Amino acid sequence: MKIVLAYSGGLDTSVLLSWIKEKYHAELIAFCANIGQEEELQGLAAKAKATGASKIYIDDLREEFARDFIFPLIQAGAIYEGQYFLGTSIARPLIARRMVEIARKEKADATAHGATGKGNDQVRFELTAAALAPDLQVIAPWRDASFREEFPGRAEMIAYCQKKDIPVQASARKPYSMDRNLLHISFEAGILEDPWMDAFAPRNKGMFKLSVAPEDAPDKPEFVTIDFEAGNAVAVNGKALSPLGVMKTLNRLGGKHGVGRVDMVENRYVGMKSRGVYETPGGAILHFAHRQMETLTMDREVMHLRDSLIPKYSEVVYYGFWFSPERLALQAFVTESQKNVTGTVRVKLYKGNIMVAGRKSPVSLYNPRMATMEADPTQAYNQDDATGFIRLNALRLKVAARVQRKLSHG
């Protein structure tokens, strides 16, 4: 049997690699995706081999992540439960897709992951595999009772590694778990399980990696321009950039000014509520600026229809259905809606805030001469027409009011 394992080189995946190999008498192929986690990948291949992998793939997927996953998400205006920019949710289908591709190439029988049985990631990994390779088996050790019995805590994992001569560096356990990629960093569990605990209190400053606290941000605001073409950011401050370049630049600028921090209690797909703290500096700027570009260039009815679909689109992504027919159908509508979302937005960053400071477009639908409160030189809008417009819209309200009056007077 041959199995492709999502591998990071940390304690958990090192134990998983050895344990799965032993239990299934299998050949293990390790896979690590570079999606902007900024972890040290040097020496990972040697560590995987020493742990028992026959081969390891270390793939730089950052550009693909930005272009094919983050940017379509931004075009859709997606934000889960009004706050979460979907940073972890959107990364999982990319990792799982690459695992399937490697499994096909290596003629593997299964993929394996280290997601727990309580979270969303197990669903995201496995729904992607089901959509792209329904014949592949998926192995999830944390849902195996024998694995949980053998490893009830970190101490047992460390002892296992020592016994098996697995090269892991046992570090002090952080009082929370962290996941980082190009779009965000998420923090959860541990001390964050108390929703009354203030994650942004000065004593917790050391937790954050991408952004300074708003109170520590520069006292002078910074203006940033973002150019859009058909709904995608193509330049920052006049400099043409790839999607990866856009994300890296906006992360740096946003982090400097403390923007994009979120603390929320969210509804997991598996049925429980969880508390998550997020840093999404670049994504927050991009989401805000994109909306500003749409206000100038998008038709009212198209915008309202797209906006009505944001909760559904966000839910589909959060739940792990990126490769589902409904997400593809929604994306087709989103792509069509973005054809004229072209122009430039200027934003002001200041102490955790993102404020609009201007927008312009060669295909702007805003006509100041028509919208002016002064005399309309175009004569395109005749105010007298509004009388009939209001009368017709008021007709059903008047009819209902008369009926209700009759009923109330017996």
Side-chain angles (χ1 to χ4, degrees):
M1 189 177 189
K2 193 182 283 190
I3 301 167
V4 178
L5 170 70
Y7 175 79
S8 69
L11 179 63
D12 283 26
T13 56
S14 294
V15 169
L16 285 172
L17 199 160
S18 177
W19 188 86
I20 292 170
K21 181 179 180 180
E22 201 169 80
K23 172 164 182 172
Y24 291 89
H25 307 288
E27 177 186 347
L28 264 290
I29 296 166
F31 163 61
C32 178
N34 177 4
I35 52 171
Q37 61 268 49
E38 301 294 333
E39 291 173 1
E40 182 56 64
L41 300 178
Q42 192 173 359
L44 203 61
K47 183 184 280 189
K49 295 279 182 68
T51 308
S54 64
K55 187 184 288 189
I56 181 167
Y57 286 79
I58 302 173
D59 296 342
D60 187 346
L61 304 180
R62 291 176 301 166
E63 193 71 70
E64 185 178 351
F65 183 36
R67 182 188 66 237
D68 298 339
F69 292 79
I70 296 174
F71 273 29
L73 192 76
I74 294 293
Q75 284 191 328
I79 187 164
Y80 182 66
E81 296 187 338
Q83 296 185 79
Y84 175 41
F85 291 105
L86 295 161
T88 296
S89 313
I90 194 61
R92 299 319 188 209
L94 170 59
I95 295 169
R97 182 177 74 179
R98 184 61 183 138
M99 287 176 72
V100 166
E101 291 168 354
I102 292 169
R104 292 291 193 225
K105 182 180 177 183
E106 295 288 341
K107 296 181 172 54
D109 307 284
T111 61
H113 63 78
T116 75
K118 281 189 172 182
N120 298 305
D121 282 341
Q122 56 177 339
V123 186
R124 296 164 183 156
F125 280 124
E126 294 181 40
L127 289 180
T128 297
L132 302 180
D135 53 307
L136 275 180
Q137 182 184 347
V138 179
I139 296 168
W142 282 109
R143 297 206 304 267
D144 185 321
S146 65
F147 181 84
R148 294 196 305 273
E149 286 168 14
E150 191 172 347
F151 303 107
R154 266 172 76 85
E156 290 80 8
M157 287 187 158
I158 292 169
Y160 177 88
C161 290
Q162 290 170 344
K163 180 183 173 185
K164 297 283 186 180
D165 291 324
I166 295 170
V168 292
Q169 189 175 350
S171 58
R173 188 171 179 81
K174 290 179 180 174
Y176 47 81
S177 67
M178 187 178 91
D179 179 73
R180 179 174 182 173
N181 62 43
L182 187 63
L183 183 53
H184 84 162
I185 298 184
S186 67
F187 306 92
E188 63 180 11
I191 60 172
L192 298 173
E193 288 178 353
D194 174 10
W196 185 251
M197 194 274 286
D198 181 1
F200 302 138
R203 67 178 180 275
N204 295 319
K205 281 183 181 179
M207 182 170 76
F208 297 97
K209 308 295 181 189
L210 288 178
S211 61
V212 301
E215 55 265 35
D216 296 333
D219 293 330
K220 185 180 178 183
E222 183 167 0
F223 292 85
V224 178
T225 61
I226 303 169
D227 296 339
F228 288 90
E229 287 181 9
N232 286 322
V234 295
V236 177
N237 289 333
K239 182 181 179 182
L241 294 168
S242 70
L244 173 59
V246 168
M247 293 309 302
K248 289 172 73 173
T249 301
L250 293 181
N251 274 333
R252 177 178 55 78
L253 293 168
K256 175 183 172 184
H257 292 277
V259 306
R261 290 186 171 193
V262 171
D263 180 346
M264 67 182 288
V265 175
E266 67 201 57
N267 289 295
R268 285 184 182 171
Y269 192 21
V270 293
M272 69 186 77
K273 288 184 182 288
S274 67
R275 193 266 189 99
V277 176
Y278 303 100
E279 289 183 277
T280 320
I285 295 171
L286 200 53
H287 186 275
F288 179 88
H290 176 258
R291 162 61 76 171
Q292 293 301 321
M293 195 75 271
E294 287 181 331
T295 64
L296 203 60
T297 59
M298 187 180 277
D299 173 78
R300 182 189 72 187
E301 295 306 313
V302 173
M303 176 182 279
H304 291 181
L305 181 55
R306 194 284 313 273
D307 285 356
S308 73
L309 296 170
I310 287 175
K312 181 61 180 176
Y313 182 103
S314 304
E315 189 179 87
V316 164
V317 176
Y318 187 86
Y319 290 174
F321 289 93
W322 182 258
F323 291 106
S324 67
E326 63 268 31
R327 202 281 303 180
L328 295 173
L330 287 168
Q331 200 73 56
F333 172 77
V334 167
T335 300
E336 175 66 22
S337 76
Q338 298 294 300
K339 287 196 303 186
N340 293 321
V341 182
T342 296
T344 302
V345 175
R346 183 172 57 221
V347 297
K348 180 168 74 170
L349 308 179
Y350 182 67
K351 291 193 177 296
N353 295 291
I354 310 168
M355 293 160 276
V356 66
R359 14 153 141 73
K360 60 182 180 179
S361 170
V363 288
S364 172
L365 298 178
Y366 172 66
N367 186 330
R369 295 194 299 167
M370 192 184 296
T372 183
M373 293 300 179
E374 305 298 326
D376 178 9
T378 68
Q379 298 299 311
Y381 186 94
N382 184 347
Q383 294 190 48
D384 293 348
D385 293 342
T387 302
F389 173 78
I390 295 168
R391 187 175 291 140
L392 289 175
N393 275 284
L395 180 60
R396 64 186 179 89
L397 303 179
K398 289 181 177 181
V399 170
R402 287 177 185 132
V403 170
Q404 292 300 323
R405 192 180 303 122
K406 282 182 183 177
L407 290 172
S408 65
H409 286 83

